[in-house]
Amino acid sequence: MCGCLLAYMLSKKKYDVTIFEKNKNLISSYDPVTIGKYKINNGFHGIELPRAKNIYDFFKNNLKIKFLI
């Protein structure tokens, strides 16, 4: 996710950005992991406020993501 956010921020500053990823998905950290017979979502689950206010504001204002608080 950090690489995707960096690419986004650089593109907003008019840099020409290309992302290379070896996995089939761009953000593979959201893929579930299998433990025994269970699939578990190991992705990002929450943003701790007020500590993460900067990233919250970025997601909300720049990426137009809606949050449930």
Side-chain angles (χ1 to χ4, degrees):
M1 182 161 67
C2 291
C4 292
L5 290 173
L6 176 61
Y8 173 81
M9 292 167 63
L10 290 171
S11 71
K12 295 299 267 182
K13 293 184 179 276
K14 307 297 183 211
Y15 286 94
D16 192 20
V17 177
T18 302
I19 298 175
F20 294 91
E21 175 59 51
K22 71 177 183 171
N23 294 312
K24 63 180 179 174
N25 298 327
L26 188 58
I27 304 177
S28 60
S29 63
Y30 288 104
D31 292 346
V33 294
T34 301
I35 299 176
K37 62 180 182 176
Y38 300 101
K39 269 191 175 178
I40 300 170
N41 181 344
N42 68 336
F44 188 71
H45 296 296
I47 296 175
E48 180 187 347
L49 295 174
R51 187 173 68 116
K53 184 163 177 8
N54 289 341
I55 194 72
Y56 169 81
D57 290 342
F58 175 80
F59 285 153
K60 183 179 172 192
N61 300 327
N62 295 74
L63 303 180
K64 307 298 182 209
I65 294 176
K66 296 179 183 177
F67 288 91
L68 175 64
I69 298 178

